[in-house]
Amino acid sequence: MQDHSTDTPSETAPARDATIDPFVEHRRLLFGTAYRMLGSVADAEDILQDTWLKWNAVDRNSVEHPKSYLVRTVTNLSLNRLTSARATRETYVGPWLPEPLLTTTADAAEETEMADTVSTAMLVVLETLNPTERAVFVLREVFGYSYAEIGGFLDRPEATVRQISHRARSHVHSRRPRFDADDAARQEITEKFMAACHGGDLNALMSLLAPEVTLWNDGGGLITAARRPLHGPDHVARWMLGVMAKPASAGIRLESAVVNGELSIIGSIGDYRLGALTYDIREGRIENLRFQVNPQKLSGIQAAGEPTA
C-alpha cells in the first residue's frame, strides 16, 4: 500500500541539491502526510504554514536530517489538529465527509497507487482510527517509515509503535471496501450516470445503482442537503434527480474528473465548482456515493495546480 509517488523516507538517498530549501523539496510529502491525517485540504495547508514558520525559526545547522524534522513537525501538528477536530465533528450538522482533492497525474500507475491510499472510501475508514493509530498507519503503510523512525517522530518506543501499527492495519483492512471496476468500466458507468442525471431518466439512473446503495451528503448545515444517509436505488435516484430539477440547480453541468485518485463527478455552474461526487463500484453498479457540497470544503477542486496528495 505504500505510496511511492512521494519522496521515500530514507535519509540515505543521494545528496540533495543544497540550493533547494528542504521544505520546498519535500512539500508534496508533507502535504500528503497532513491530508491523509486530517482529510481536509484547508487544514493540511494550515499545517504546512505552521511547519514553515517553525522551520524558519529553527537553527538549521542543528538539524541533522531536515526531512525527518519536517515530517515529525507535520505529524505532531496534525495530531494536535485531529484531536481538536474530533470534538468539533461531534456537533457537525449531517454526515461528515473528507474534503475532495483533484489528483490527476501524468502517470497512470501512480494514479492507481494513489487511489489505494487517498480515495474518499479510504479516508472515511481512516476516520475510524484514533489519532495516534492514524498517524502510525499513514507513516508506515503509506510512506513506508520504519517503526524506529515513527517512534522517533511520536516519542514512542519502537515496540509500542509496532503494536499500534498492527492494530491499525487490522482495523483498516477489515473495514476497507474492496471494489472491482477497472478504468474502462468506471468510465462507462460514470458517463451513463451523468447522462441519466442530465436527462432526468429515473429508470436509467436506478439501473446503475446497487440494491444496497447508500448516499451520504455533506452540506455542513450551510446549504440544503440530506442530513441522514439515503438507502436504496429508489430513494437515492429520486433524491439526485430532485436536486437536478430544482430552480437553483438550473445550469448545473456535470463533468468527470479524477478526485482522490479515482474517476469521479464534479458539478459546476460556470467556472465555480459546486460539489464533488465520489463513489464505489462493485459488479458493475454503484454501491456507495459520497456527495461533498459544503462550500467550506471545496477549495481542493476549484482550480488546477493544487498539491497532489
Side-chain angles (χ1 to χ4, degrees):
M1 186 183 290
Q2 292 175 18
D3 185 350
H4 302 290
S5 64
T6 56
D7 306 286
T8 55
S10 175
E11 292 285 356
T12 61
R16 63 181 178 82
D17 185 344
T19 64
I20 300 177
D21 185 286
F23 180 90
V24 176
E25 181 181 2
H26 302 303
R27 190 182 192 282
R28 182 177 174 184
L29 167 66
L30 302 177
F31 177 85
T33 301
Y35 179 64
R36 287 172 175 84
M37 283 278 295
L38 301 168
S40 166
V41 176
D43 285 349
E45 291 288 5
D46 286 346
I47 293 299
L48 260 63
Q49 178 65 28
D50 291 344
T51 300
W52 169 252
L53 294 174
K54 287 180 176 293
W55 176 240
N56 278 309
V58 75
D59 176 7
R60 299 189 186 183
N61 292 326
S62 67
V63 179
E64 184 177 0
H65 298 303
K67 184 163 78 169
S68 289
Y69 173 87
L70 291 167
V71 172
R72 175 176 181 149
T73 302
V74 163
T75 299
N76 284 285
L77 288 172
S78 296
L79 274 172
N80 292 339
R81 180 69 64 94
L82 186 58
T83 300
S84 62
R86 289 278 172 122
T88 301
R89 289 173 193 173
E90 289 179 1
T91 59
Y92 195 80
V93 178
W96 182 96
L97 293 174
E99 293 184 18
L101 178 68
L102 292 177
T103 52
T104 302
T105 72
D107 187 328
E110 177 183 337
E111 196 165 278
T112 298
E113 190 160 335
M114 182 184 298
D116 194 46
T117 67
V118 80
S119 68
T120 306
M122 174 57 80
L123 292 177
V124 169
V125 172
L126 292 182
E127 278 292 306
T128 64
L129 298 174
N130 68 44
T132 301
E133 289 172 339
R134 188 165 182 169
V136 171
F137 183 88
V138 168
L139 292 171
R140 176 65 182 172
E141 301 298 322
V142 179
F143 296 111
Y145 281 93
S146 70
Y147 298 118
E149 288 173 307
I150 299 171
F153 296 155
L154 302 178
D155 292 325
R156 300 287 186 98
E158 181 178 346
T160 300
V161 171
R162 189 182 297 272
Q163 292 174 348
I164 294 172
S165 176
H166 176 74
R167 184 169 65 245
R169 185 169 59 250
S170 297
H171 180 98
V172 170
H173 287 183
S174 68
R175 289 164 174 77
R176 181 173 171 232
R178 301 286 179 178
F179 302 102
D180 54 13
D182 59 23
D183 291 345
R186 192 174 183 89
Q187 178 74 47
E188 180 181 2
I189 292 169
T190 297
E191 291 175 356
K192 288 181 177 179
F193 186 94
M194 291 190 295
C197 287
H198 278 138
D201 191 333
L202 178 63
N203 290 332
L205 189 55
M206 288 180 61
S207 71
L208 297 170
L209 304 177
E212 63 275 20
V213 66
T214 297
L215 181 145
W216 293 267
N217 190 199
D218 182 347
L222 300 177
I223 65 172
T224 302
R227 296 191 177 186
R228 291 186 177 86
L230 301 175
H231 304 286
D234 185 68
H235 286 159
V236 171
R238 290 182 185 279
W239 185 87
M240 288 293 303
L241 295 185
V243 170
M244 294 294 292
K246 289 182 178 180
S249 300
I252 283 185
R253 181 181 72 260
L254 301 181
E255 55 189 354
S256 60
V258 178
V259 178
N260 291 77
E262 295 181 319
L263 188 67
S264 305
I265 296 171
I266 288 179
S268 305
I269 290 183
D271 293 332
Y272 182 74
R273 290 167 173 172
L274 300 167
L277 183 66
T278 58
Y279 37 89
D280 307 321
I281 298 174
R282 188 196 300 273
E283 298 179 353
R285 292 190 177 185
I286 295 172
E287 188 167 86
N288 300 304
L289 299 99
R290 302 175 185 89
F291 200 14
Q292 180 58 265
V293 292
N294 183 338
Q296 295 183 347
K297 300 169 75 171
L298 299 177
S299 63
I301 65 169
Q302 290 305 332
E306 301 87 346
T308 297

